[in-house]
Amino acid sequence: MREMTPTEAIDLVGRGEAEQELPERMRADVRLLGSLLGRVLRESGSPGLYDDVERLRQATIAAYTFESVEAFERAEQIAESFSVQRADEVARAFTVYFHLVNLAEEYQRVRVLRERDGRPEKEDVTDSVAAAFVSLAAEVGDDTALARLQAMRFHPVFTAHPTEARRRAVSSSIRRLARLLSEHDEALRGGADERRAERRMIEEIDTLWRTAPLRAEKPTPVDEVRAIMAVFDETLYTAVPHVYRRVDDALQGPAAGGRAPVVKPFVRLGTWVGGDRDGNPFVTASITKKAAAIGAEHILLGLEHSAERIARGLTLSGETTPPNEHTRALIVRLAAADEDGAADAAKRAAGEPHKHALLLIARRVSATRKRDADLAYLDPEHLLADLRTVQTSLAEAGAARQAYGHLQQLIWQVETFGFHLAELEVRQHSAVHAKVLDEIASGEPLSTQAEEVLEVFRTIAQIQKRYGPRAAGRYIVSFTQSAGDLAAVHTLARHAVGAGGTLPVLDVIPLFETFADLQAAPAIMAEIVDHPAFAQRLAETDRRLEVMLGYSDSSKDVGPVAANLALYEAQALIAAWAQESGIELTLFHGRGGALGRGGGPANSAILAQPPHSVDGRFKLTEQGEVIFARYGDPAIAMRHIDQVAAAVLLASAPSIEKRNRAAADRYADVAATMDSASRERFFSLVKAPGFAAWFATVTPMEEIGLLALGSRPARRGLSVESLEDLRAIPWVFAWSQARINLAGWFGLGSALDAVGDVDLLRSAYEQWPLLRTVIDNVGMSLAKADPRIARRYLDLGDRDDLAALVMDELMLTREWVVRITGGEELLSNKPVLQRAVKMRDPYVDALSLLQLRALRALRTADEGDDLTGWQRLLLLSVSGVAAGLQNTG
């Protein structure tokens, strides 16, 4: 954008009272970044580019602000007037702008968190683990609350589902800009440091402008593994123990750090990246082995550096801090096994026994990473034993601050990450297992696919032997429809290792995805626990069991309203069965980033769950853009983990369980009415003749498959004849690109209208957490939709009946959500979120108009036309709209 006066620059975030209420420091950041982008466009763009960007920008702002039909048509005319090359440049300019605004928003969040410095919000017991502990203790007593805190688990599982539209090069450039913005924020106004930061920022924005926004080819599974490693290395390795420390500081007060912590590590990380082969032929046993090796290399290198760094600072004299006999024996044992290391440590730590011991420990961690069998640690437990020996010796010698300071951080890291960093989970479709078993039973030579399936089990056994049982072992069965689907995994494992072979330790996890499967889940679980292999594993784990629930396919199956109700009922029934059976249940939530796939604020969703369905344990999938949004910055990651863990702890409070049970009973009839009406409305759309083909016409669904988002194919077959052929991610992604977001709300308006009683529904919204969560999430989804843009997409098809059905339901749902939540428009009850949406919408409109032009050109092209430019414009606009809306699938 051009250099402009401060007053004009405010237009970069739109017009209107809501936008003016943005924090002044954030507005200043947006002004700065916008003016620097303007300079880049004038210096590096083609002649007249800046003016064309400004014309379209001002037209969409006017159309949005004044809801003017004439202004909207003028914006359309401007978009239509561009050549395909000019439209390409304009789309790139708006996309870069969104990256900069996203950066400013994120930095504002970081700035606020730093200023709060871990202090909880006033009177919000879900804001932090420490606040939740105080609230829980008031109900159940300190001892019980502490026991629940120490047994708590928050288990995010990172997936490679293709929903991150940005290239890694773009993400890296944005991270560099974030650091420069921080330097600029801290610099003296008008000083040399401020000028240097601005000069480097414009250089980086110019780099971002010149960087190709689209991947040239799809990433491989190994590329996806390495991309996830950046989050572990730059954020989670240090952020997770810092969360533990904050909680311990809050609970122990001034004594914290001077005595043993009361907090035990409550985060466990999982990953499907390199292990999820359901529908992804590129994930092989070899890839899984590489993924495990990459994760181990990263964590062991981190532990090695931490141990070495702590050792260098542990310069306590043996006279002031004498070691106990166990530490003296440890030094002798470690030195005997490592003569070279012993000589070096003795020289570097003369008269400093605790430093001496830790230097030798660091050497053993290094040997573990380098696979030096003579010196390597057998498993993380042996490393922990050595670290605790040194810790106890320090405490006994009076050096409690050293015992429970940085050394405790390292112990927490080993307890959390082990030698594997994140547990590698395998997922495969039940139909694949059935096919392989049929091949085995036939006695004929096995197919390549069957050999690959069997090799996976041998690979899991190898990973467990190398990095410990925690490194792998959870095996998810997609589309579980019977107990036999689960038993098949153990049968295949036995075939894989052969007679006398070492079976891997397997925790087989059913994934219930469709509406019918969710209803059948309790009976399937009751049957499978009597299977010999399951019964044996239950006995070995003190009757621990995990069940995964799929949000994506159930929503695509019966619509978002019925799916949410079915998921709640399934959780309630499975939790009740587990209670009666003496089983410690963990429900694994397959939630996507978008609202149509179970996304939305996790902490409010946790507190809306049925009684005993959480019980201090919460596991969920995190994917694509959500991973980097929640875990890409240390301050934001700590805040997210703290909030989610607080909700996990508080969910088992008697008052919460009583509230949720009472609300479910009180509004059971409302739920039944909503379920029936929403499903009927949803089926009238998706089961209409020709719906699949119409959907592919009115959205960029087919073109999204051309984006090099991830290694996994976008659909299960070669074409889409029905919704069953389509994966949930492009289903959601396509509707969001069309500015309809249908996957997140369709059917709710009819459901609420069927109930019809406004007062009853307002009462339910206040008292029934499940309904409140659903309606709040739909409010966000609808706020990102745009009826004017949506109509243009629907006009691409030739089905006025289906288009009318969608628009009627959209307006009906908007009307009911506003009536129930109060105010005059969507998100009136959430003004901060409302401002954020309003800030972006006019600029997303500009990209949507460019995308519509590209779609029309592609839909109406004659055979033989060169469509390369239009296809590129479409993909550019898809990337830009994803950045503007901040979600994909």
Side-chain angles (χ1 to χ4, degrees):
M1 309 297 173
R2 67 178 170 86
E3 296 178 76
M4 53 189 73
T5 68
T7 301
E8 290 174 317
I10 294 173
D11 282 344
L12 285 165
V13 294
R15 297 175 185 268
E17 182 179 346
E19 288 76 2
Q20 301 304 314
E21 294 174 5
L22 290 169
E24 176 53 38
R25 294 170 75 183
M26 178 182 162
R27 290 170 60 200
D29 291 339
V30 173
R31 284 197 298 267
L32 171 65
L33 294 169
S35 66
L36 295 179
L37 175 58
R39 287 179 58 183
V40 166
L41 293 182
R42 296 176 73 177
E43 293 174 2
S44 303
S46 61
L49 172 61
Y50 165 75
D51 293 329
D52 285 341
V53 169
E54 276 295 283
R55 284 196 299 129
L56 183 57
R57 184 183 73 85
Q58 291 172 0
T60 53
I61 287 176
Y64 183 85
T65 304
F66 305 112
E67 298 183 356
S68 165
V69 174
E70 293 78 9
F72 185 76
E73 290 176 349
R74 185 164 60 253
E76 285 186 295
Q77 291 168 2
I78 293 170
E80 291 289 333
S81 71
F82 295 147
S83 68
V84 65
Q85 292 80 12
R86 174 63 83 196
D88 181 302
E89 289 184 296
V90 172
R92 285 172 51 211
F94 276 98
T95 300
V96 171
Y97 166 73
F98 277 128
H99 291 322
L100 298 180
V101 171
N102 292 345
L103 167 61
E105 280 190 344
E106 181 176 292
Y107 186 68
Q108 177 64 19
R109 290 176 64 197
V110 172
R111 179 188 283 133
V112 171
L113 290 172
R114 286 174 179 167
E115 289 173 351
R116 283 180 49 198
D117 194 25
R119 295 187 302 272
E121 297 282 1
K122 293 180 181 179
E123 299 178 358
D124 185 354
V125 297
T126 68
D127 187 70
S128 70
V129 172
F133 176 85
V134 172
S135 178
L136 180 63
E139 293 191 48
V140 301
D142 288 348
D143 292 343
T144 300
L146 182 59
R148 292 186 183 182
L149 172 65
Q150 293 180 335
M152 180 175 67
R153 285 287 181 272
F154 169 45
H155 195 151
V157 178
F158 291 177
T159 80
H161 288 353
T163 65
E164 173 57 87
R166 296 181 307 191
R167 284 185 62 203
R168 191 174 177 184
V170 172
S171 298
S172 298
S173 181
I174 293 168
R175 282 198 296 271
R176 291 192 295 270
L177 270 169
R179 288 191 289 270
L180 292 172
L181 187 59
S182 178
E183 291 177 17
H184 182 272
D185 198 30
E186 295 170 2
L188 184 66
R189 292 291 172 257
D193 287 345
E194 183 185 46
R195 291 192 297 273
R196 181 168 57 251
E198 288 190 13
R199 176 180 53 77
R200 291 171 62 196
M201 287 168 73
I202 194 168
E203 178 184 348
E204 192 62 57
I205 292 172
D206 190 60
T207 298
L208 185 60
W209 164 250
R210 294 173 184 273
T211 298
L214 301 175
R215 297 181 181 95
E217 56 187 31
K218 284 180 175 288
T220 67
V222 172
D223 293 332
E224 293 170 334
V225 172
R226 295 195 185 282
I228 291 295
M229 286 301 112
V231 177
F232 290 130
D233 291 346
E234 298 174 16
T235 301
L236 290 175
Y237 181 70
T238 53
V240 171
H242 283 162
V243 173
Y244 302 154
R245 180 64 74 190
R246 279 187 177 182
V247 177
D248 200 64
D249 286 346
L251 297 184
Q252 296 213 75
R259 63 186 184 192
V262 297
V263 172
K264 294 184 178 180
F266 53 75
V267 175
R268 291 293 183 270
L269 298 178
T271 178
W272 283 8
V273 188
D276 180 12
R277 59 245 309 129
D278 178 13
N280 191 342
F282 306 111
V283 177
T284 63
S286 174
I287 292 294
T288 299
K289 198 178 300 182
K290 287 179 182 177
I294 291 169
E297 169 73 15
H298 280 253
I299 186 58
L300 287 168
L301 190 61
L303 295 176
E304 177 186 341
H305 289 167
S306 293
E308 174 73 26
R309 175 179 50 79
I310 294 168
R312 289 197 301 268
L314 208 58
T315 55
L316 287 68
S317 165
E319 295 181 358
T320 61
T321 317
N324 63 15
E325 60 177 310
H326 298 295
T327 297
R328 290 195 298 271
L330 174 64
I331 293 172
V332 171
R333 174 167 58 82
L334 295 177
D338 182 12
E339 292 184 6
D340 293 340
D344 178 68
K347 181 179 179 180
R348 294 174 59 190
E352 299 166 344
H354 294 96
K355 177 179 180 179
H356 192 162
L358 207 53
L359 285 172
L360 291 171
I361 289 172
R363 289 268 303 182
R364 285 200 70 182
V365 175
S366 177
T368 306
R369 179 175 61 84
K370 296 172 182 176
R371 306 193 68 173
D372 180 348
D374 292 335
L375 191 56
Y377 278 109
L378 181 64
D379 53 41
E381 284 65 37
H382 284 77
L383 170 58
L384 283 170
D386 287 354
L387 292 174
R388 287 175 178 140
T389 295
V390 176
Q391 184 180 56
T392 300
S393 178
L394 286 166
E396 289 177 352
R401 291 291 173 184
Q402 287 72 28
Y404 303 116
H406 290 300
L407 182 56
Q408 180 61 49
Q409 301 270 112
L410 177 58
I411 289 172
W412 275 333
Q413 286 167 323
V414 178
E415 290 176 319
T416 299
F417 304 119
F419 287 170
H420 57 282
L421 187 56
E423 181 176 353
L424 187 59
E425 301 188 353
V426 169
R427 183 171 73 135
Q428 184 56 279
H429 199 291
S430 59
V432 173
H433 295 152
K435 182 175 181 293
V436 175
L437 286 174
D438 287 343
E439 287 190 37
I440 292 171
S442 74
E444 298 293 323
L446 297 181
S447 66
T448 302
Q449 183 189 44
E451 292 286 4
E452 174 62 32
V453 168
L454 296 178
E455 183 61 24
V456 171
F457 294 99
R458 295 188 281 269
T459 296
I460 293 172
Q462 292 168 7
I463 292 171
Q464 290 179 347
K465 182 179 180 181
R466 174 73 181 88
Y467 307 112
R470 278 180 53 199
R474 282 183 167 88
Y475 195 110
I476 295 103
V477 181
S478 296
F479 284 89
T480 296
Q481 297 180 320
S482 70
D485 289 339
L486 302 175
V489 176
H490 292 286
T491 304
L492 289 167
R494 288 194 298 272
H495 278 288
V497 302
T502 302
L503 281 167
V505 178
L506 293 174
D507 290 304
V508 182
I509 300 168
L511 169 49
F512 299 112
E513 301 183 73
T514 68
F515 181 73
D517 294 343
L518 287 168
Q519 291 184 312
I524 292 173
M525 295 313 301
E527 180 182 350
I528 195 60
V529 292
D530 292 327
H531 184 274
F534 269 80
Q536 178 183 340
R537 186 61 182 150
L538 280 174
E540 292 169 351
T541 61
D542 294 328
R543 297 186 68 75
R544 295 191 183 98
L545 194 64
E546 197 168 301
V547 175
M548 185 173 182
L549 305 171
Y551 285 66
S552 306
D553 283 281
S554 57
S555 182
K556 186 162 66 75
D557 190 29
V558 295
V561 178
N564 271 284
L565 294 170
L567 283 158
Y568 186 92
E569 181 182 4
Q571 290 180 71
L573 292 173
I574 295 171
W577 164 79
Q579 283 282 108
E580 294 169 3
S581 305
I583 286 172
E584 184 180 295
L585 174 71
T586 297
L587 287 173
F588 181 7
H589 301 260
R591 300 166 68 89
L595 299 172
R597 302 189 59 238
N603 51 338
S604 60
I606 292 167
L607 292 172
Q609 302 306 308
H612 300 296
S613 63
V614 178
D615 272 353
R617 299 173 298 280
F618 188 70
K619 185 177 179 182
L620 82 166
T621 52
E622 303 272 36
Q623 66 186 42
E625 79 283 355
V626 173
I627 294 174
F628 294 95
R630 290 178 175 169
Y631 303 98
D633 179 89
I636 292 173
M638 286 189 284
R639 165 74 163 170
H640 173 68
I641 293 169
D642 203 13
Q643 282 188 312
V644 174
V648 172
L649 184 62
L650 202 60
S652 62
S655 60
I656 299 293
E657 293 191 339
K658 180 180 178 181
R659 179 197 67 183
N660 291 357
R661 183 183 293 109
D665 292 342
R666 184 181 305 119
Y667 297 108
D669 290 342
V670 171
T673 300
M674 291 179 63
D675 176 73
S676 176
S678 68
R679 273 190 288 119
E680 181 180 352
R681 187 65 160 174
F682 186 74
F683 292 155
S684 71
L685 177 68
V686 302
K687 293 185 182 297
F691 170 78
W694 176 79
F695 164 62
T697 301
V698 301
T699 71
M701 186 274 292
E702 292 284 356
E703 291 78 9
I704 285 170
L706 301 175
L707 271 176
L709 292 180
S711 66
R712 189 183 185 209
R715 51 178 174 255
R716 295 182 171 89
L718 295 177
S719 62
V720 178
E721 300 297 335
S722 69
L723 288 190
E724 286 71 25
D725 299 322
L726 186 68
R727 295 194 182 281
I729 290 171
W731 162 254
V732 174
F733 199 169
W735 284 122
S736 69
Q737 285 287 316
R739 306 294 299 283
I740 300 172
N741 286 339
L742 180 143
W745 55 262
F746 193 89
L748 179 62
S750 293
L752 298 173
D753 201 53
V755 176
D757 188 330
V758 177
D759 292 334
L760 174 63
L761 288 170
R762 285 176 177 165
S763 173
Y765 177 74
E766 293 297 326
Q767 300 175 22
W768 186 14
L770 176 64
L771 182 66
R772 187 179 190 91
T773 299
V774 168
I775 288 181
D776 285 349
N777 284 346
V778 165
M780 285 188 278
S781 187
L782 290 173
K784 292 183 178 183
D786 187 294
R788 296 170 307 173
I789 299 288
R791 287 191 183 93
R792 300 303 193 268
Y793 280 91
L794 296 176
D795 287 344
L796 295 171
D798 58 357
R799 293 289 300 274
D800 292 342
D801 57 332
L802 298 183
L805 186 59
V806 170
M807 293 308 301
D808 288 347
E809 187 67 18
L810 172 64
M811 303 315 293
L812 181 65
T813 306
R814 287 170 66 102
E815 176 188 341
W816 271 106
V817 168
V818 171
R819 290 173 71 187
I820 291 170
T821 58
E824 297 181 356
E825 57 184 340
L826 291 167
L827 300 181
S828 292
N829 59 332
K830 295 183 180 296
V832 174
L833 181 60
Q834 185 186 63
R835 288 197 299 269
V837 171
K838 286 185 174 184
M839 179 179 72
R840 296 166 176 280
D841 271 359
Y843 299 90
V844 181
D845 290 352
L847 282 165
S848 293
L849 292 175
L850 294 173
Q851 184 179 112
L852 276 163
R853 186 174 179 209
L855 273 176
R856 290 191 194 100
L858 293 171
R859 297 286 188 269
T860 59
D862 294 325
E863 187 175 349
D865 288 352
D866 182 6
L867 301 177
T868 304
W870 294 115
Q871 287 176 339
R872 174 180 160 82
L873 174 59
L874 181 71
L875 298 183
L876 282 171
S877 66
V878 166
S879 178
V881 170
L885 296 176
Q886 290 188 297
N887 66 269
T888 52

